[in-house]
Amino acid sequence: MYILGMESSCDETSAAVVEMADGVRRIRSNIIASQIETHRLYGGVVPEIASRAHIEAVTRITEEALAAAGVSLREIGAVAVTSHPGLIGALLVGVNFAKSLAYANRIPLIAVNHIHAHVAAAYLSVPDLKPPFLALVVSGGHTAFYHVTDDTTYLEIGGTRDDAAGEAFDKLGRVIGLPYPGGAALDQLAYEGDKTAVPLPTPALSGDEIALSFSGIKTAALNYLNGAAQKGTPVNRADVAASYTARIVEAIVKKTDLALRQSGLPTLVLAGGVAANSHLRTALESLCRRRGVHLAMPERSLCGDNGAMVAAAGYFEYLKGNFANTSLNASALDDPAAAV
Ligand code: KG4
Ligand code: ZN
């Protein structure tokens, strides 16, 4: 069947047509309109501007996705849309568009959790992937571990106590003058520096808890940079990037190792925008090799927000008969049901 996947939870408007069936996981189109250039001016996503940009892009992007796939609306078996979590105004654009499209064309509608969608991107890159597995979602808004018991059931078993890893990367990127969002540029700069040059705390909490905290390393890096500026001593940006990246990657690897040992799961899925980080990918590859664990990662182009991952997650909800209707609402929360 063909699923139209729609994503508008942050600063990417995306629509994709994905063909899903038993043994078939094929991306027919995956159109992404990024707002990065718009938000760069402000050094971060401005929610009000993001919502307006989604409104301007959503119809065109959907038409483009159908045309590029060579699939008509009549052939679409379900419309899957990210309904939570994310920026509420941004989410509402995608949800209302998908709702209207599904209603007017009598197509089943499916609500998708954005975090599950990031994980579902791995199903598109690793066709034989099957739960149970441990999923590590590392993005601009989340850093968390999930025990995935079946394709739609996610049990959170740990994660960050404060900031997300992507947020920490972007913050350092901003203060050392890299273009927004700093994550990808920092990834490259880290190769040019000495990862032992700058003393920074590790973001892994001690003990047997699957817990991370990125606020300390963020503050320590800012203090280091401010201190150097006050003393008038030069700063090697590459050394800061390398040390900061190394400590974050070490902490994530340490807690992933713990989560794998505690859960005994045979497979690790690494997903989310920060899953594109080459240092993290390499470090987790070597951890999984050491532990004899199968590592499944979406290809780098599917790590950031996109409609194909939403379609993939939607397919599994479809198989379970989890349909939404015209009363579907968006929510900024990770788990809107738990808040009721
Ligand atoms: O998953 P995503 O597209 O959006 C959210 O759901 O948050 O993640 C975006 C985050 C940003 O913080 C961005 O800087 C980060 O992913 N990112 C990276 C890399 N590519 C994107 N962080 C580190 N290294 C990268 N190569
Ligand atoms: Zn995301």
Side-chain angles (χ1 to χ4, degrees), residues 9 114 118 139 273 304-305 309:
S9 67
H114 183 74
H118 271 301
S139 72
D305 294 346
M309 69 184 197

Side-chain angles (χ1 to χ4, degrees), residues 235-251:
V235 163
N236 183 325
R237 292 191 323 159
D239 283 350
V240 183
S243 304
Y244 193 81
T245 302
R247 296 301 86 75
I248 289 179
V249 169
E250 281 159 16

Side-chain angles (χ1 to χ4, degrees), residues 13 15 80 125 130 134 161 163 175 194 238 265 277 281 285 316:
T13 319
S125 300
K130 276 193 182 63
L134 176 72
R161 290 269 178 83
D163 305 327
V175 295
D194 172 0
L265 288 164
N277 185 276
R281 288 172 90 92
E285 268 161 5
F316 295 109

Side-chain angles (χ1 to χ4, degrees), residues 114 118 139-141 166 169-170 181 183-184 187 272-274 276-277 300 303-305:
H114 183 74
H118 271 301
S139 72
F169 280 129
D170 292 348
D187 188 348
V274 182
N277 185 276
R300 291 177 81 173
C303 288
D305 294 346

Side-chain angles (χ1 to χ4, degrees), residues 13-78:
T13 319
S14 181
V17 177
V18 176
E19 193 179 348
M20 299 288 283
D22 223 11
V24 180
R25 295 167 182 183
R26 196 173 300 132
I27 299 175
R28 296 292 295 256
S29 65
N30 193 14
I31 309 292
I32 304 169
S34 171
Q35 304 171 10
I36 281 180
E37 291 306 325
T38 311
H39 299 292
R40 186 163 280 163
L41 201 63
Y42 309 94
V45 178
V46 183
E48 174 71 20
I49 295 174
S51 309
R52 286 169 189 270
H54 285 307
I55 289 174
E56 285 165 15
V58 71
T59 309
R60 173 176 53 85
I61 292 302
T62 307
E63 283 169 354
E64 273 182 41
L66 289 165
V71 170
S72 73
L73 255 185
R74 245 174 292 115
E75 296 170 272
I76 296 291

Side-chain angles (χ1 to χ4, degrees), residues 7-340:
E7 161 63 36
S8 72
S9 67
C10 190
D11 59 347
E12 261 99 27
T13 319
S14 181
V17 177
V18 176
E19 193 179 348
M20 299 288 283
D22 223 11
V24 180
R25 295 167 182 183
R26 196 173 300 132
I27 299 175
R28 296 292 295 256
S29 65
N30 193 14
I31 309 292
I32 304 169
S34 171
Q35 304 171 10
I36 281 180
E37 291 306 325
T38 311
H39 299 292
R40 186 163 280 163
L41 201 63
Y42 309 94
V45 178
V46 183
E48 174 71 20
I49 295 174
S51 309
R52 286 169 189 270
H54 285 307
I55 289 174
E56 285 165 15
V58 71
T59 309
R60 173 176 53 85
I61 292 302
T62 307
E63 283 169 354
E64 273 182 41
L66 289 165
V71 170
S72 73
L73 255 185
R74 245 174 292 115
E75 296 170 272
I76 296 291
V79 177
V81 63
T82 302
S83 61
H84 68 281
L87 300 172
I88 188 65
L91 286 163
L92 280 167
V93 176
V95 165
N96 276 302
F97 185 87
K99 235 160 59 163
S100 312
L101 194 70
Y103 179 69
N105 295 282
R106 298 171 195 272
I107 304 171
L109 176 69
I110 296 164
V112 167
N113 175 315
H114 183 74
I115 301 163
H116 299 188
H118 271 301
V119 175
Y123 288 107
L124 298 170
S125 300
V126 185
D128 59 350
L129 177 64
K130 276 193 182 63
F133 53 73
L134 176 72
L136 165 57
V137 178
V138 208
S139 72
H142 291 84
T143 301
F145 293 91
Y146 301 88
H147 183 152
V148 181
T149 53
D150 67 59
D151 296 307
T152 58
T153 310
Y154 287 61
L155 182 69
E156 187 170 342
I157 59 168
T160 181
R161 290 269 178 83
D162 39 56
D163 305 327
E167 210 176 320
F169 280 129
D170 292 348
K171 177 73 186 181
L172 181 67
R174 188 155 62 235
V175 295
I176 64 173
L178 298 177
Y180 166 84
L186 206 65
D187 188 348
Q188 290 314 304
L189 185 62
Y191 283 105
E192 294 163 31
D194 172 0
K195 63 183 180 194
T196 62
V198 181
L200 293 169
T202 170
L205 297 196
S206 59
D208 261 5
E209 222 184 318
I210 304 168
L212 295 151
S213 165
F214 298 103
S215 59
I217 191 169
K218 231 171 69 174
T219 308
L222 292 182
N223 287 345
Y224 173 83
L225 294 165
N226 289 338
Q230 277 165 7
K231 285 184 228 140
T233 50
V235 163
N236 183 325
R237 292 191 323 159
D239 283 350
V240 183
S243 304
Y244 193 81
T245 302
R247 296 301 86 75
I248 289 179
V249 169
E250 281 159 16
I252 293 175
V253 168
K254 182 175 166 192
K255 292 304 179 182
T256 306
D257 192 14
L258 180 64
L260 284 170
R261 278 187 282 124
Q262 282 184 0
S263 67
L265 288 164
T267 303
L268 170 69
V269 172
L270 171 67
V274 182
N277 185 276
S278 60
H279 307 270
L280 184 60
R281 288 172 90 92
T282 307
L284 287 176
E285 268 161 5
S286 93
L287 170 73
C288 288
R289 213 176 304 118
R290 254 189 349 263
R291 290 245 163 256
V293 165
H294 175 58
L295 175 62
M297 300 186 283
E299 43 197 270
R300 291 177 81 173
S301 62
L302 291 178
C303 288
D305 294 346
N306 67 86
M309 69 184 197
V310 180
Y315 174 68
F316 295 109
E317 299 292 347
Y318 180 93
L319 292 183
K320 289 259 179 89
N322 293 336
F323 297 110
N325 57 36
T326 45
S327 65
L328 176 65
N329 204 347
S331 170
L333 305 176
D334 285 7
D335 187 1
V340 176

